[in-house]
Amino acid sequence: MAIDFRPRWTDTDLELYRDTAVRFIEREMLPDDGAARQRGHVGHALWRRAGEVGLLCSDIPEQWGGGGGDFRHEAVLYEEMARRSLTGMSVSVHSIVAHYILNHGTEAQKARYLPRMASGELVGAIAMTEPGAGSDLQGIRTRAIRAGGEYVINGAKTFITNGLLAGLVLVVARTAPEQGSRGISILIVETAGCQGYRVGQPLDKIGLRAQDTSELFFDDVRVPADMLLGGEEGRGFAQLMSDLPYERLIIAVMAVAMMEGAYHETLAYVRERMAFGKPVAEFQNTRFKLAGVATSVKAARAFVDRCVEDLVEGRLDTVTASMAKAWASDLQGKVVDECLQLFGGYGYTNDYLIGRMYVDARVQRIYGGTNEIMMEVVARAL
Amino acid sequence: MAIDFRPRWTDTDLELYRDTAVRFIEREMLPDDGAARQRGHVGHALWRRAGEVGLLCSDIPEQWGGGGGDFRHEAVLYEEMARRSLTGMSVSVHSIVAHYILNHGTEAQKARYLPRMASGELVGAIAMTEPGAGSDLQGIRTRAIRAGGEYVINGAKTFITNGLLAGLVLVVARTAPEQGSRGISILIVETAGCQGYRVGQPLDKIGLRAQDTSELFFDDVRVPADMLLGGEEGRGFAQLMSDLPYERLIIAVMAVAMMEGAYHETLAYVRERMAFGKPVAEFQNTRFKLAGVATSVKAARAFVDRCVEDLVEGRLDTVTASMAKAWASDLQGKVVDECLQLFGGYGYTNDYLIGRMYVDARVQRIYGGTNEIMMEVVARAL
Amino acid sequence: MAIDFRPRWTDTDLELYRDTAVRFIEREMLPDDGAARQRGHVGHALWRRAGEVGLLCSDIPEQWGGGGGDFRHEAVLYEEMARRSLTGMSVSVHSIVAHYILNHGTEAQKARYLPRMASGELVGAIAMTEPGAGSDLQGIRTRAIRAGGEYVINGAKTFITNGLLAGLVLVVARTAPEQGSRGISILIVETAGCQGYRVGQPLDKIGLRAQDTSELFFDDVRVPADMLLGGEEGRGFAQLMSDLPYERLIIAVMAVAMMEGAYHETLAYVRERMAFGKPVAEFQNTRFKLAGVATSVKAARAFVDRCVEDLVEGRLDTVTASMAKAWASDLQGKVVDECLQLFGGYGYTNDYLIGRMYVDARVQRIYGGTNEIMMEVVARAL
Amino acid sequence: MAIDFRPRWTDTDLELYRDTAVRFIEREMLPDDGAARQRGHVGHALWRRAGEVGLLCSDIPEQWGGGGGDFRHEAVLYEEMARRSLTGMSVSVHSIVAHYILNHGTEAQKARYLPRMASGELVGAIAMTEPGAGSDLQGIRTRAIRAGGEYVINGAKTFITNGLLAGLVLVVARTAPEQGSRGISILIVETAGCQGYRVGQPLDKIGLRAQDTSELFFDDVRVPADMLLGGEEGRGFAQLMSDLPYERLIIAVMAVAMMEGAYHETLAYVRERMAFGKPVAEFQNTRFKLAGVATSVKAARAFVDRCVEDLVEGRLDTVTASMAKAWASDLQGKVVDECLQLFGGYGYTNDYLIGRMYVDARVQRIYGGTNEIMMEVVARAL
Ligand SMILES: Cc1cc2nc3c(=O)[nH]c(=O)nc-3n(C[C@H](O)[C@H](O)[C@H](O)COP(=O)(O)OP(=O)(O)OC[C@H]3O[C@@H](n4cnc5c(N)ncnc54)[C@H](O)[C@@H]3O)c2cc1C
Ligand SMILES: Cc1cc2nc3c(=O)[nH]c(=O)nc-3n(C[C@H](O)[C@H](O)[C@H](O)COP(=O)(O)OP(=O)(O)OC[C@H]3O[C@@H](n4cnc5c(N)ncnc54)[C@H](O)[C@@H]3O)c2cc1C
Ligand SMILES: Cc1cc2nc3c(=O)[nH]c(=O)nc-3n(C[C@H](O)[C@H](O)[C@H](O)COP(=O)(O)OP(=O)(O)OC[C@H]3O[C@@H](n4cnc5c(N)ncnc54)[C@H](O)[C@@H]3O)c2cc1C
Ligand SMILES: Cc1cc2nc3c(=O)[nH]c(=O)nc-3n(C[C@H](O)[C@H](O)[C@H](O)COP(=O)(O)OP(=O)(O)OC[C@H]3O[C@@H](n4cnc5c(N)ncnc54)[C@H](O)[C@@H]3O)c2cc1C
């Protein structure tokens, strides 16, 4: 009897969708992953192919070119990528961007961008973090000053996922610099042919080597005034807050799936690998370590599944999502570390999935709000 | 906004039942707990009162005098006792015994015992462990040898919960000594006036001081042949195995509830307690520790809730229940330990709930199968 | 080859002294420990016997009736008691009190008290903590107001080790209430026949059951003005600070020794105890757990040994001593917990050394300054 | 007052030697480290320069061209490289190889190789591990069959440190295949112009990117019979065993130094980095984390210092060295992980020392014998 980690929230339709995702992943992503890690990005073609087969914007209404599904469709795709540590193409950030537009954009903005995001023509990015402001978003300095029918954007952003390939960047900026969090707005920037917009060198990260995380520079970038997300100034902070459960749950979903992937991969390895005349799987230390891993994964699955169900039913609060993000990513760190150890020297190489997982997993405790910030959020709610 | 740990599986009826349980606990158990810890047992009267108000055998069909509910009713009671560390009256072992009779007993056995167990007249105990055999039940030596219309039982048992107060003891014994696990049967022993039956000194445990854990001695104890559980020899091991999910989940349920209790109690304490001019609750270390505890409890709640739902629907397997037992009790140890620390010196006293929890919690990783044995069970299923 | 945990700082003389200590402990302390845990104290006779054989004030100069040794002599005794979890007779607090008198007392105070402390006639206690002030000593309210040739003491102290048996109590009190830490002094109170002095009920602790930790009440207690420690008002805080390395290192020394004791006891147990046809010591999980324990103890031994050497040479600073206190007591908690688990159900009883260790060890992270306060001390020095 | 982590075993001479090492490191290693990580090796020139300034073979007698120092000189160099995560040039493996020759080689072998190793002309490597045998060295298959005045070597090795640059490889091989560990010998292979010897692609490791870890292939490689280490067949296993304390202690020394480096780097960072209007260093969570790190480092320093002193005095046993290796590298993993977190997103990049440390540190629990094998070694000695 093998241990069953199937999500509780799945059904036949979703499993069919999963088959599509797996086929795409195995045919189009896996074979290129090594090269993408060298290159530092997955390339535009892959995004377009993903759009073609219907894997982008799966939870955006069909009316806007999306898949018409719900968060579970998104989760299916994240799971299948995360369990293989295919971390180059950040569909998650892309979807987050699409959700900002869906939830807060004007009708014109939705019509203009969502279909092109669903097709993969436009890759989405969101630029909050700056060299001087990460956890504390209120410290951002980028400005978008209204000048006639335009906003003039100046500033520098860093650590922007999909930064190189992005065709559409949501820029969090101060439209009323003197006003604190009330003076923050989100601007939509189309990068193609954009004057004054520059993508820096790709960041030399220890993992996520296929992901194009970049610095972005804005020097007198001008966008038409209707590029203000939602059309009203000073709403940026509230817009950012309202989508947090969605964003944080994605990280938790990926954590669980990577742990499952690590578990299966490790189990297979230790059954094959011989030492002292028997499979490594037969040492009691190995057995207990893997039993512990399986137990953790089972618990994590239950927790995150419940959050997924709650999100789909519209009742997942930010505190619970922050808990899930922190707890699952912490656990992911431990689980991947323990699994790697069971591979001996081979675990220390990029040739093995577990080695790639190790370097990729580390960031999960940092981005999307560090786990310390998650604890702050929870502590405030006690 | 306070964090919500309500079980997902509850409903209005169950919450009414919970009110009954809480009333009973607060009126009849709490006030006597200190004295019971001195005495080493809760006394027969309490069991009878619990029976009267309908708190015993809540998941045994009404036909046999039970409450006609399901596992969730049991869980409600365990939760409310565990969150107050009222560990003297082991309703759980009592219910486990009732389930053996319900699931494996003959009609006559059910009719004879279940109503008296539901009323609290007969307290149930189950005697597996022996001085020389705990984890490895196949090592037991107690014998029940058929002699005419009787079985003659000889042997010694130890660590038997409810040992002093028990009116009915299920004795796991060898009926066919030469046959390994196939030669093991369960005998029903009524202790009242039973010749050759003796209860030893109560064990001097570090915690569960109100619980009458005892050694039991059987010297030529004679019981009629129809006291064989189920009426067929050699079925003991299979009978024991089949009820494991139920037994292990109880421990997990209690773990979660005690953690919740510890969390609430600690939060209240640190809000009141002042140091260096402010409430202890305001130090970031305290805040992060409690946020971590709340997060753990939330995860544990989700995992155990799912197991409860699965059990009620008849699909909880032994492996998952063993995971839940080990994982939840490990976490309980950590959580209670961390909470105690936040009480400073007061946490180290029996006057504070957290101090009693600390000593009570430790056993959860040991009884019901040690957590090492749980890992063995899981490892075999990988 | 057995693993060697001998302290580096020992020598032949010290080992002879150790023999004396062990003989005393095995003949006079061990046999009564169970009864003392029932009673709640070890009794005056034991203190006198310890004085007779030269085990008290071993590091006080001979001139004052002491043993004329150094901290290593003290350490030898703490080690031998701690490895057996003989925690009833707090020689450590006694020695700390003697050191206050030695280091800060007037000649008259030394002459009057040290010889009687060395003989065991006077048991020492130090009363800092109050119901409302533990970590934050500046919050104490007990007052000692000068009135003519006397001080009049009013206030309540709690958690006072040796509280019941103490003949001499150092009371930390405000002599100049309006002055903050500068207004704090230490008064010497002889308890015999002291008017207005009252010892409360012994605290009902979860461990250290043989230790008489008590509340002390001072209602208009009058002491002659020359009972002011050192003879100068307002020096209390400085006096307390200057002895911290000594006090904290004692806790670390006891932690290491208890871990060694736990290790040896557990190793012996698992070698004897059989499960599944072999000694529990042969399961790889057991082997790795014990190897981990042995490794931790070895590291702890090295760290604490170095601190002992530094203390003897007069160069142990408060920060390093605080590190040792926190680190060693944290580790002690983990090690004792892991060892207990290997005893199965037996570990959960007071009949086994490991069970008593478990409840005794918990306080080490709390008293002598909580480990959070230790981290504060270290953090300030970074 | 800053916390002092200076090794206890150092003295003025050693600190002068340290200055030399630091100068070399800062002038010649640091500036090239980024390029070396790209290239995958540090290049021959660096080795020669290190030889010139006297940093190679510092504990080999002057008679053989070495520095005439002891293990402390080696330790000084490892410390200064490890605290900067300069992991490309494995002086440690080089020294280990030199020690094999010194301790087990014939006079001719010493004379032929040690001077050239000390000058950096010949880089040393030791080839034990094979694709099919890592932890279990008895499983190696590489053969060295005597044929006239030569040995003919066939087999494949993997994970060989300094594999690309090595001029001298010690090859562990079976000279008497049928004889188990008694049939194992060590052969000296000079790689320059060696027929049948081939270095594989550099391994694509997740860290130690500047270190040329390689596969080595031996196809009918012929070496003169006097290339047998020590001149006697079947001594290989014993030779390997006798140098274990030396090898394992090196890893522990590097672990401590890297932790110190991580601590200092992190402290500096959090003091500068602002969030929510104050330095990150001022949040209590940061303060306690760093205090915990400092405490761990202090303990580790004490443990490893004692081992160094013991090694220098010739009394460090394999068990204690194995404890130090496992314990220190485990701790290193935790400490570096915690420090990285305090850098937020920047910690996840190779531009920051802490990011490089993170990927470099992971291997310390694996090579030199995995930490599981260390626990086996310890367990056998209990
Ligand atoms: C691979 C990657 C992808 C990313 N993608 C994006 C992206 O697409 N868009 C984007 O906008 N950003 C992105 N980020 C940035 C990320 O969100 C930030 O790195 C993160 O929020 C932390 O900010 P920081 O790095 O400035 O750390 P800092 O805010 O400087 O934090 C430093 C340390 O201080 C701690 N700290 C801060 N405040 C407190 C407090 N109150 N109490 C205790 N501790 C505290 C932090 O937890 C951390 O440990 C990405 C980062 C990475 C590494
Ligand atoms: C308060 C309390 C109440 C109890 N109530 C009851 C009751 O009502 N009825 C009843 O029958 N029993 C009861 N027990 C007994 C309990 O079930 C046993 O204590 C438990 O099963 C462990 O058995 P043991 O104590 O003999 O430990 P042992 O079996 O001797 O185990 C010793 C150690 O070896 C470990 N170990 C054993 N096998 C392996 C393995 N294969 N691999 C690795 N490690 C292993 C164990 O985990 C443990 O750490 C109770 C115990 C307590 C403390
Ligand atoms: C068995 C025993 C023996 C004792 N013996 C003596 C004795 O002989 N003489 C004597 O005077 N006292 C004695 N004590 C008292 C002991 O020193 C105190 O219990 C201890 O100092 C903690 O004080 P508290 O209990 O008031 O906890 P509090 O000070 O109320 O602390 C509560 C919690 O807050 C935390 N906390 C406090 N300040 C901070 C901060 N700045 N940042 C983060 N967390 C913080 C603490 O760590 C703790 O977790 C004894 C205590 C015990 C249990
Ligand atoms: C960067 C790097 C540099 C290296 N340099 C060298 C070098 O210079 N020369 C050289 O010869 N080798 C070198 N090695 C190889 C290294 O020594 C081995 O990787 C290591 O000994 C483990 O062997 P393995 O990788 O084959 O793992 P395996 O032996 O296959 O082990 C797999 C897993 O099983 C576990 N395991 C094995 N036996 C037991 C047991 N009895 N009980 C429980 N668990 C067990 C292991 O701990 C591990 O977790 C290097 C490795 C690396 C990564």
Side-chain angles (χ1 to χ4, degrees), chain B residues 275-312:
Chain B
F276 302 96
K278 53 180 170 177
V280 168
E282 289 182 13
F283 295 109
Q284 196 182 43
N285 180 65
T286 311
R287 298 173 72 240
F288 277 29
K289 281 269 148 56
L290 278 174
V293 163
T295 302
S296 295
V297 176
K298 196 91 181 184
R301 172 51 76 195
F303 185 19
V304 172
D305 273 2
R306 190 194 278 199
C307 292
V308 169
E309 290 168 354
D310 283 351
L311 186 96
V312 170

Side-chain angles (χ1 to χ4, degrees), chain B residues 144-152 174-175 223-226 228 231 233:
Chain B
I145 301 304
R146 182 77 184 248
E150 292 180 331
Y151 283 97
V152 187
R174 301 202 160 277
T175 41
V223 297
D226 61 4
L228 181 69
E233 276 192 15

Side-chain angles (χ1 to χ4, degrees), chain C residues 1 8 271 305-306 309 381, chain D residues 1 305-306 309 381-382:
Chain C
M1 186 198 65
R8 165 163 295 196
R271 280 182 172 155
D305 273 2
R306 189 194 277 201
E309 290 167 354
Chain D
M1 186 198 66
D305 272 3
R306 189 195 278 201
E309 290 167 354
L382 294 180

Side-chain angles (χ1 to χ4, degrees), chain B residues 273 275-276, chain C residues 129 133-138 370 373:
Chain B
R273 182 73 181 171
F276 302 96
Chain C
T129 306
S135 300
D136 178 15
L137 271 190
Q138 310 216 12
T370 67
I373 295 301

Side-chain angles (χ1 to χ4, degrees), chain B residues 17 50-70 73-74 94-95 98-99 102 110-111 113-120:
Chain B
Y17 183 72
E52 275 167 33
V53 298
L55 292 172
L56 300 182
C57 297
S58 63
D59 64 347
I60 296 290
E62 296 182 15
Q63 160 189 22
W64 306 112
D70 61 33
H73 292 83
E74 293 286 298
H94 187 76
S95 294
H99 273 249
L102 179 71
K110 291 186 219 181
Y113 296 117
L114 289 176
R116 287 155 73 201
M117 291 190 74
S119 72

